[in-house]
Amino acid sequence: MAPQRGTGSGAEAELPAYSGQYRLESCLGSGGMGVVHLATSTSGLRLAVKVVHGEFAKDPEFRGRFRQEVAAARQVSGAFTAPVVDADTDSARPWMATLFIPGPTLAEHVKRNGPMPPGQLRRLMAGLAEALRDIHRAGVVHRDLKPSNVLLAEDGPKVIDFGISRPKDSELRTETGKLIGTPPFMAPEQFRRPREVGPAADIFALGSVTVHAATGRGPFDSDSPYVVAYQVVHDEPDLTDVPENLAPLVRACLAKEPEDRPTADELMGELRSVAASYDTQTFVTTQREREGAGWASAPGRAAGGDTRRNTGRDTWAGKDTGADPAPGTGTGAGNRGCGDGSDGRDESGRGGRARGGPRKRAVLVAASLVLVAGGGFASVRALGSDGGQAGGGTATPRAGGAASAPALEAWATRPAAKKKNAPQCSYGAGKLLCSQPGLVSALDPADGSVLWRHTVGRAGALGAGDPPVESGGLVQVLTDESRRAQALDPDTGEVRWERDISAYGAQHYVGGTLLLTAADGTVTGVDTATGDTTWSGRIPGQPEAYFTSFDGDRSAYVASVTGEGAGARTRITAVDPETGDVRWDARLEGHLEPVGARDGVLFLAAIGGVYPDTVAVVRYDPGTKKTVRVALPVRLEQARGVVRGDVVYLLSGSGGSLAAVDMAARKQLWRTETGVARGSAPVADDRHVYFTSSDGRLLAVDARKGRISGDTASRLGNSDRVTAALPEPVIIDGRVCVGALDGTVLGLDGSDPASW
């Protein structure tokens, strides 16, 4: 769907068609800070892209705050938040892309279904405590936790919209007379001494959110935000209708003094023993069907923080309201779509009658007090800083495990000292080939030493989403700015040939051929050794030829889907990349996407449901034309896979579930919850499955048992610009090499992940 265009002369009259490399497909909603769009990355991830309003983009102070928001959101990316995928705070219209997480907000759920029953309420409270524990461990205070910033995803609540961050050592300070937050969910200290707000303020907000979920109102309610402010500071909370076994914990969270409130860890401990009937599975990672009881998801809220339009039914806890959902709440429950930043009841404190008799009028709040309602500046304060960074330019050995030295010496190097972008790497010509914006580097995989560097145009000209590849005996590079293909000498990095590819919309290397696809579906094959055209033509039956290929396989595959739901069918065409000849063509039932190939046999993920969920794995043998289908006990959201022997490993792009499916035995071997909210595509050897996470870690999972074997320390770096595609690990003779988010490349012993 083309981007929505506004009308009129306002700042949003002409919305951008792209943010960075992402085409903005549709408008999800609008809030006080910007507009949120639905977009899809090159790898197929569904994203929520927040584009800042034009009026704020001209304000240097706002840009500084937005940079801090991006940094804070990156810092807390994990199982309980919406991971940041990409951002550019320096563009004409600053933007940030986060993973799209389907599910209604708590505000939407309560509005449609009424107060939560006790069991669901306990799960919510426990989930939020877990989320705050991880957020606070990352050194961040949210400072604007409220119902519209809690997503009810299928695997538990997600805390979103970190607003504008304010690190502890920042030069950006809260202005005198201006409070940052949403009054009904702010702690007393946010009114009295806003510069001293710490993690305890989030615990206070958790108590207020719990009351809202239990009753449909807040513990301090009034038509006036000024009265709400007075009540928060001076009055006792109204806990009428809060379940008796939870009321003492909620009251403790709402203590006036920060030191009197429990920490997130203490709260989780108390929740475990709150009652004999407590659902202990709240604290145990479980496998939940989307349609089953629990956090059954529905279209709801953009993970980028503002609102999305709801296009489905609210099925939280398996309950279908049977009614068409209202637009998302976001920064105001009355939000009316793009370009409308109106605030609503949840965010302003208006719209509900105070219970328990008349409230005292606020006398301490001056009439000139500026309350930033609606989450426009929902400030986050960082408590600490990132860990140490790798040195620049040279390789440095890393210590192995404490018990014994690893068989392969670990190393860490930074190909370019001043670059903080994640290197994307591949293996070819005996070298580790890595790309960063404007730079290609060749490293020795044995010790990480830099063999050569090649600059591509000005900084930023080389797309960092794809690594260089070895093809035709040369190092192949694609540039974003000039839209040229370059072939480099593998020993020196010098250009051997280059070619203008600006007329083509897609390109793919396979074997010794570069396949270029034009807008009309015509494909041109280029010999990567010489740069010469070898063939050109259409792929029969495939109007759009977007290719996929796999290591060790000789074919390039095109898959196209027709129909929807139970009537969907996929046409798969295997093409000889050197000649363009069709090797085989098949029409298979269902919506299928290739994930791997072995010995000419193709493995595919079967997609089902409203969202791109993997519901089964399919094995197709073109020689016998036989199909084997293995259903997954629990579907995986936005999964990507790798094939090793007869086993397909699938990693969810949202939630971190990793599953192993044995196609020979026709069963799922195991499934584990890694706790990674967003991971790279997995790679595997005979012992482990490896992938990277959005917080800059490399993880290894035992391929037989499905247990995490080891992971590295987080390497986030300090750049505001984050990678669009997480670096994929590369396995080279038992060593695992990978680019980190701080610009470092690591080489680790793959046989001993515990030593990492």
Side-chain angles (χ1 to χ4, degrees):
M1 178 176 177
Q4 302 276 336
R5 298 291 180 182
T7 58
S9 58
E12 310 306 322
E14 188 68 14
L15 300 177
Y18 284 88
S19 286
Q21 62 177 303
Y22 309 108
R23 181 171 177 81
L24 307 180
E25 298 176 354
S26 61
C27 175
L28 296 173
S30 175
M33 285 170 39
V35 181
V36 177
H37 302 267
L38 179 66
T40 304
S41 74
T42 304
S43 64
L45 285 176
R46 291 164 62 85
L47 306 175
V49 180
K50 178 194 292 184
V51 183
V52 169
H53 286 309
E55 59 185 294
F56 292 127
K58 301 175 183 177
D59 183 350
E61 181 182 2
F62 180 87
R63 281 183 178 269
R65 288 177 172 174
F66 188 68
R67 289 188 184 97
Q68 292 183 5
E69 174 186 2
V70 173
R74 287 180 56 205
Q75 197 169 348
V76 300
S77 288
F80 304 102
T81 60
V84 178
V85 175
D86 202 354
D88 188 350
T89 60
D90 296 321
S91 65
R93 293 282 295 279
W95 56 271
M96 175 173 65
T98 61
L99 195 66
F100 177 95
I101 298 178
T105 66
L106 175 61
E108 292 168 336
H109 175 79
V110 172
K111 183 176 181 180
R112 295 174 196 156
N113 303 291
M116 287 183 171
Q120 293 178 9
L121 192 65
R122 287 192 294 268
R123 285 191 56 218
L124 172 73
M125 196 173 183
L128 291 178
E130 287 183 306
L132 290 181
R133 176 200 60 189
D134 276 18
I135 291 169
H136 294 163
R137 283 178 178 175
V140 172
V141 179
H142 190 288
R143 306 218 315 168
D144 196 35
L145 183 66
K146 57 188 177 182
S148 58
N149 283 344
V150 176
L151 259 178
L152 302 182
E154 75 168 351
D155 58 345
K158 309 288 185 185
V159 175
I160 58 175
D161 197 355
F162 284 79
I164 306 301
S165 66
R166 186 161 64 85
K168 193 173 185 179
D169 58 353
S170 172
E171 294 301 318
L172 296 173
R173 304 299 182 190
T174 303
E175 300 173 26
T176 302
K178 178 179 288 189
L179 298 185
I180 308 299
T182 305
F185 304 97
M186 291 169 64
E189 61 268 26
Q190 289 179 273
F191 295 101
R192 296 181 301 197
R193 44 185 189 274
R195 295 190 183 188
E196 301 176 18
V197 171
D202 288 344
I203 299 298
F204 188 96
L206 185 153
S208 298
V209 168
T210 302
V211 174
H212 177 88
T215 67
R217 56 167 175 80
F220 309 98
D221 224 353
S222 173
D223 292 338
S224 167
Y226 304 104
V227 174
V228 169
Y230 183 87
Q231 293 169 358
V232 167
V233 174
H234 293 282
D235 289 359
E236 291 301 310
D238 181 1
L239 302 186
T240 305
D241 298 329
V242 175
E244 292 183 2
N245 59 349
L246 292 179
L249 289 180
V250 174
R251 191 178 300 277
C253 292
L254 296 174
K256 300 301 182 186
E257 298 302 325
E259 58 270 20
D260 294 334
R261 300 170 204 149
T263 65
D265 273 323
E266 291 170 343
L267 186 59
M268 290 171 61
E270 291 295 330
L271 281 168
R272 289 189 183 96
S273 57
V274 69
S277 61
Y278 180 66
D279 178 8
T280 57
Q281 290 190 8
T282 299
F283 302 95
V284 180
T285 302
T286 57
Q287 299 174 350
R288 301 182 179 97
E289 283 282 8
R290 178 182 294 274
E291 294 85 2
W295 304 89
S297 75
R301 166 89 173 191
D306 288 302
T307 95
R308 73 177 63 192
R309 287 193 177 276
N310 220 314
T311 56
R313 300 181 186 275
D314 183 355
T315 57
W316 187 87
K319 179 178 180 179
D320 189 337
T321 63
D324 290 331
T329 56
T331 57
N335 213 323
R336 292 180 293 276
C338 285
D340 185 314
S342 59
D343 298 326
R345 167 176 175 165
D346 275 338
E347 331 315 339
S348 67
R350 297 183 294 272
R353 175 174 294 181
R355 305 186 72 171
R359 298 286 191 179
K360 298 177 182 178
R361 288 292 171 184
V363 294
L364 79 162
V365 184
S368 60
L369 180 67
V370 179
L371 295 173
V372 185
F377 294 113
S379 186
V380 178
R381 181 163 67 91
L383 299 176
S385 59
D386 289 336
Q389 305 296 327
T394 59
T396 56
R398 233 168 61 96
S404 61
L408 297 174
E409 187 177 30
W411 54 261
T413 189
R414 180 168 285 158
K418 295 183 179 180
K419 289 188 178 293
K420 302 296 179 66
N421 304 79
Q424 302 281 350
C425 303
S426 68
Y427 180 68
K431 301 172 179 63
L432 188 64
L433 306 171
C434 301
S435 69
Q436 294 171 276
L439 183 72
V440 178
S441 304
L443 280 63
D444 186 335
D447 59 13
S449 58
V450 178
L451 302 176
W452 53 258
R453 299 182 181 92
H454 172 71
T455 302
V456 184
R458 66 173 179 81
L462 178 68
D466 296 304
V469 296
E470 187 275 326
S471 178
L474 301 176
V475 178
Q476 308 293 332
V477 175
L478 297 174
T479 66
D480 280 347
E481 181 188 5
S482 59
R483 299 290 296 155
R484 300 187 70 81
Q486 289 187 345
L488 311 180
D489 187 301
D491 296 324
T492 64
E494 297 179 353
V495 177
R496 295 278 290 273
W497 63 261
E498 62 181 327
R499 177 173 178 145
D500 183 358
I501 58 172
S502 59
Y504 302 95
Q507 51 279 323
H508 187 81
Y509 289 98
V510 54
T513 303
L514 168 61
L515 299 175
L516 301 171
T517 303
D520 64 356
T522 300
V523 179
T524 298
V526 177
D527 185 337
T528 53
T530 63
D532 297 331
T533 297
T534 56
W535 64 272
S536 182
R538 304 287 293 270
I539 307 301
Q542 299 286 6
E544 295 181 341
Y546 296 100
F547 292 96
T548 302
S549 63
F550 305 99
D551 291 342
D553 188 71
R554 298 173 51 250
S555 295
Y557 300 95
V558 182
S560 58
V561 180
T562 57
E564 297 180 356
R569 291 180 64 83
T570 302
R571 182 170 186 171
I572 308 288
T573 305
V575 178
D576 183 336
E578 296 182 358
T579 64
D581 295 337
V582 174
R583 287 183 167 148
W584 56 262
D585 184 79
R587 293 172 174 81
L588 306 178
E589 294 184 359
H591 178 172
L592 305 176
E593 296 180 357
V595 296
R598 182 181 63 84
D599 299 331
V601 175
L602 190 63
F603 297 81
L604 308 104
I607 308 301
V610 177
Y611 297 101
D613 297 342
T614 299
V615 297
V617 180
V618 175
R619 180 182 185 273
Y620 176 71
D621 186 339
T624 62
K625 302 187 184 310
K626 290 184 178 180
T627 300
V628 174
R629 179 185 176 99
V630 178
L632 299 181
V634 180
R635 60 183 59 196
L636 291 169
E637 290 186 282
Q638 303 184 35
R640 288 182 286 178
V642 63
V643 177
R644 186 73 178 178
D646 286 316
V647 179
V648 180
Y649 299 98
L650 296 167
L651 178 66
S652 169
S654 173
S657 299
L658 178 66
V661 182
D662 189 330
M663 297 304 293
R666 301 192 181 190
K667 65 178 182 178
Q668 178 176 293
L669 299 177
W670 49 259
R671 172 172 169 147
T672 188
E673 306 298 331
T674 67
V676 173
R678 173 179 169 245
S680 70
V683 300
D685 57 20
D686 291 335
R687 291 172 293 183
H688 296 100
V689 182
Y690 309 96
F691 59 93
T692 61
S693 67
S694 58
D695 62 357
R697 292 179 295 147
L698 170 66
L699 293 91
V701 175
D702 189 299
R704 294 178 303 166
K705 301 177 181 179
R707 299 174 183 171
I708 295 179
S709 303
D711 63 348
T712 66
S714 174
R715 285 178 174 267
L716 280 172
N718 56 12
S719 173
D720 290 328
R721 299 191 182 198
V722 295
T723 183
L726 292 176
E728 296 180 18
V730 182
I731 303 173
I732 307 172
D733 297 329
R735 191 186 303 273
V736 181
C737 301
V738 68
L741 299 181
D742 64 353
T744 304
V745 180
L746 304 176
L748 304 170
D749 184 3
S751 67
D752 188 19
S755 70
W756 298 353

